[in-house]
Amino acid sequence: MLEFVLFWSLICFSVYYTVQWTIRSSRKVLPGPKGWPAVGVLFEFDLSTLHFKLFEWSAKYGDIFQFEVFRKKFVSLNSSDILREAFSKEPNASITSARPQTFVGEYIFDNYSDIAFASPDSAWTKRRKLAFQLIRSYGDGLSCIEYQIKKKLRTVSEEIRHLDNKNVDPSDMVEEFILYTLEILIIGQSSGKNGELQKVLRKLDFLINATANPGIDVVYSLFPFLRFLPLRTSLMFKEIQKTKQRMLDLMELLSKADTTEKGVYHTVVDVMNQRDEQGKQWFTKDNLSNLLMNLVVAGFLTTRGTILSMIQLLAKRPDLQKALQQEIDRVIGPDREPCLADREKCHLAEAVVIETLRYISHVPLSLLHATSQATTIGGYSIDKNTVIVPNLWTIHHSEKEWDEPFKFKPERFLDAEGLLLPSNNPIRKRVIAFGFGKRSCIGEVFARSRIFLFLATIMQQTTILEPEGKSLEDLLPREMVPGVSLQPKDYEIRFVLRSNLRPS
Ligand code: HEM
């Protein structure tokens, strides 16, 4: 009897392992660089410019490949088709909507109580929905924000009038404009660049840009005790926490001001008083502070990079400026203020914005995703807890997808009549600057509205020229300053009022 049981057990085991082995060997093995034992590919790239290495590897290994750092598995997605398969088709869309565990998510965003660094659960879904609705339709909808943006653009125009023809670094003006619109969105008021809140927001943004990079995160996640040592980065992390508290204190103070102007803050504070079906507070003080941090960080550097890049690119293209000015004169005229309704008739301006976003690809690796369970992408098996790297830099600069990808050519988004290609056109669909699917950017409409109104106002009133007595470098995406969001290097230009250039 024992022999009989042993015999059949052996047969069953053999069959089981043969089937497993056959399944495993029939799986396609993901290509990718081998790396070193334990550390993986850690020493094969500069941590702040990982996107350059991934671009190089994608040429060798294809649209999907894997690599390891400290035994953690990363899968890089390098074409718009593979990204769609991973992010927009179920069940992958749900599986890949998780975020990896990060030091920043845990320590800076109070154990993932924000939106951007947290993985989905029912509370997160409610938080994201709330934030999305507030940004998209705050007050009377975008028209309320539009009114405020236009008000600020009047002071920008005034400033430009004073600067007429002088060499100027436009970053101060652009930063003030963006921070003002964020203050209006969040708290309904702004005291301008000398106001305490704007100074605090600016400081917070630059601290986060200097610290929240994947390289620093890998090291601090592995050795979290480093945050207690007097290292430069650890001190910056401490400073972030202090500055965040200062931001909250200021917002609380400002929210008590006797004014009718309200912002996201006021609504969210009301939501904090609500209870869910179990009688529990579903939106806590930590959720509030970290949502505000998300908006301040995601809403500043991304838009700063886009507007400053656009100004530099235009300064080098007088022909393009002329065409933009003709479009704006035709649609808006010289006297009426540009408004959001003009967007649909300003085809070239829209193409310039889209091409700027593609060309600079300044959020090169989007935000990292992770798999919440094992799945298959592109025919390859991907394990649970794999970090997914949406390689937007490569998708936007691949020769397979673009003609002359490192050239700034807004006309690639226009048809033969000069009309903007529809958003479902395959060429438009390859631009994924705001991500897509369950984790796509919640600030896209807000960001694009600000950028369009800025561009239209500038082109209506001025021509951007190279500086006097100095040269202006071409904006080359590969030479942008690294950070959470790549930024153009400092530069100077001249704004010259069009009225001064018109023949008398
Ligand atoms: C040019 C401007 C902007 C660009 C290029 C941009 C790009 C992105 C990208 C690539 C992502 C990650 C998508 C993903 O994980 O798959 C993202 C997420 C996010 N963005 Fe933006 N963004 C911009 C402006 C803004 C603004 C103005 C706000 C808010 C005021 C904002 C708030 C957010 C938030 C909260 C997330 C996280 C969403 C989530 O994790 O579910 N962004 N953005």
Side-chain angles (χ1 to χ4, degrees), residues 11 40 47 84 160-161 193 200 291 331 438 451 470 477:
I11 295 290
L47 289 170
R84 265 170 223 285
I160 286 178
R161 232 163 269 143
K193 74 172 169 204
V200 168
L291 164 65
V331 175
K438 291 178 184 291
I451 297 166
K470 287 182 177 183

Side-chain angles (χ1 to χ4, degrees), residues 87 97 99 115-118 124 128 131 135 182 185-186 291 294-306 357 362-363 365-369 390 392 432-444 446-448 450-451:
F87 289 175
S97 66
R99 295 280 188 217
I115 290 173
F117 287 87
W124 174 86
R128 183 179 146 107
I135 297 178
L182 274 174
L185 176 78
I186 295 173
L291 164 65
N294 277 174
L295 299 186
V296 167
V297 174
F300 176 67
L301 287 164
T302 49
T303 310
R304 178 192 189 274
T306 315
L357 289 165
H362 61 324
V363 193
L365 303 179
S366 184
L367 287 178
L368 302 182
H369 289 225
L392 303 186
I432 309 173
F434 296 92
F436 60 75
K438 291 178 184 291
R439 301 306 297 248
S440 63
C441 175
I442 60 172
E444 176 173 354
F446 179 59
R448 292 185 60 165
R450 288 191 296 184
I451 297 166

Side-chain angles (χ1 to χ4, degrees), residues 124-139:
W124 174 86
T125 307
K126 272 170 104 174
R127 291 206 298 276
R128 183 179 146 107
K129 204 166 153 197
L130 172 73
F132 189 66
Q133 280 166 352
L134 284 175
I135 297 178
R136 263 196 93 106
S137 59
Y138 190 72

Side-chain angles (χ1 to χ4, degrees), residues 30-191:
L30 266 168
K34 286 241 167 327
W36 296 88
V39 291
V41 296
L42 183 66
F43 299 115
E44 293 188 29
F45 49 83
D46 177 345
L47 289 170
S48 61
T49 51
L50 173 61
H51 55 290
F52 291 161
K53 197 69 197 176
L54 296 187
F55 184 73
E56 202 183 301
W57 279 338
S58 64
K60 190 167 171 192
Y61 300 112
D63 288 353
I64 172 165
F65 65 85
Q66 71 172 346
F67 58 96
E68 282 189 22
V69 178
F70 290 121
R71 304 196 58 82
K72 183 106 201 124
K73 283 200 176 101
F74 292 75
V75 168
S76 174
L77 306 179
N78 314 303
S79 74
S80 50
D81 285 344
I82 204 95
L83 206 70
R84 265 170 223 285
E85 182 188 332
F87 289 175
S88 60
K89 290 194 190 135
E90 289 295 1
N92 276 346
S94 295
I95 294 172
T96 59
S97 66
R99 295 280 188 217
Q101 291 191 336
T102 48
F103 175 84
V104 171
E106 191 167 341
Y107 292 96
I108 304 299
F109 289 97
D110 302 308
N111 211 12
Y112 309 97
S113 41
D114 69 328
I115 290 173
F117 287 87
S119 285
D121 60 18
S122 57
W124 174 86
T125 307
K126 272 170 104 174
R127 291 206 298 276
R128 183 179 146 107
K129 204 166 153 197
L130 172 73
F132 189 66
Q133 280 166 352
L134 284 175
I135 297 178
R136 263 196 93 106
S137 59
Y138 190 72
D140 298 323
L142 260 178
S143 59
C144 166
I145 291 288
E146 178 180 2
Y147 164 77
Q148 297 286 1
I149 298 176
K150 279 160 61 180
K151 197 164 118 193
K152 180 65 191 164
L153 280 171
R154 258 172 252 145
T155 63
V156 170
S157 303
E158 194 58 38
E159 207 176 318
I160 286 178
R161 232 163 269 143
H162 288 301
L163 291 171
D164 188 27
N165 216 358
K166 292 198 187 91
N167 287 0
V168 55
D169 173 348
S171 59
D172 247 13
M173 189 179 82
V174 170
E175 283 169 16
E176 197 201 334
F177 165 69
I178 299 170
L179 289 170
Y180 171 94
T181 54
L182 274 174
E183 285 176 292
I184 295 295
L185 176 78
I186 295 173
I187 200 77
Q189 53 188 296
S190 168
S191 306

Side-chain angles (χ1 to χ4, degrees), residues 154-302:
R154 258 172 252 145
T155 63
V156 170
S157 303
E158 194 58 38
E159 207 176 318
I160 286 178
R161 232 163 269 143
H162 288 301
L163 291 171
D164 188 27
N165 216 358
K166 292 198 187 91
N167 287 0
V168 55
D169 173 348
S171 59
D172 247 13
M173 189 179 82
V174 170
E175 283 169 16
E176 197 201 334
F177 165 69
I178 299 170
L179 289 170
Y180 171 94
T181 54
L182 274 174
E183 285 176 292
I184 295 295
L185 176 78
I186 295 173
I187 200 77
Q189 53 188 296
S190 168
S191 306
K193 74 172 169 204
N194 296 322
E196 190 57 18
L197 183 60
Q198 204 167 109
K199 287 186 196 156
V200 168
L201 298 187
R202 198 183 286 253
K203 182 171 173 190
L204 197 57
D205 281 318
F206 284 101
L207 281 168
I208 297 268
N209 202 35
T211 47
N213 94 34
I216 292 180
D217 209 282
V218 167
V219 176
Y220 274 76
S221 295
L222 278 168
F223 311 110
F225 65 86
L226 287 178
R227 71 188 189 282
F228 299 117
L229 303 185
L231 305 169
R232 193 169 162 267
T233 309
S234 307
L235 294 176
M236 284 204 267
F237 281 132
K238 275 210 183 89
E239 200 54 35
I240 290 177
Q241 295 293 23
K242 272 203 324 222
T243 316
K244 180 170 143 188
Q245 191 51 51
R246 178 86 190 110
M247 170 187 85
L248 280 176
D249 293 344
L250 279 170
M251 285 189 184
E252 195 181 335
L253 198 75
L254 290 169
S255 72
K256 300 210 166 100
D258 186 18
T259 159
T260 48
E261 311 290 356
K262 303 263 186 274
V264 166
Y265 183 92
H266 299 82
T267 313
V268 172
V269 165
D270 286 346
V271 172
M272 275 167 57
N273 296 324
Q274 293 174 9
R275 297 289 176 266
D276 64 15
E277 305 75 47
Q278 282 86 44
K280 266 177 51 192
Q281 185 186 23
W282 68 269
F283 198 92
T284 64
K285 201 159 185 198
D286 276 352
N287 295 147
L288 165 79
S289 66
N290 293 303
L291 164 65
L292 297 178
M293 275 261 283
N294 277 174
L295 299 186
V296 167
V297 174
F300 176 67
L301 287 164
T302 49

Side-chain angles (χ1 to χ4, degrees), residues 60 164 332 381 386:
K60 190 167 171 192
D164 188 27
I332 306 169
S381 303
T386 299

Side-chain angles (χ1 to χ4, degrees), residues 8-25:
W8 280 107
S9 303
L10 201 66
I11 295 290
C12 288
F13 269 121
S14 308
V15 170
Y16 175 78
Y17 280 109
T18 309
V19 170
Q20 288 292 314
W21 180 84
T22 316
I23 291 172
R24 239 176 286 139
S25 43

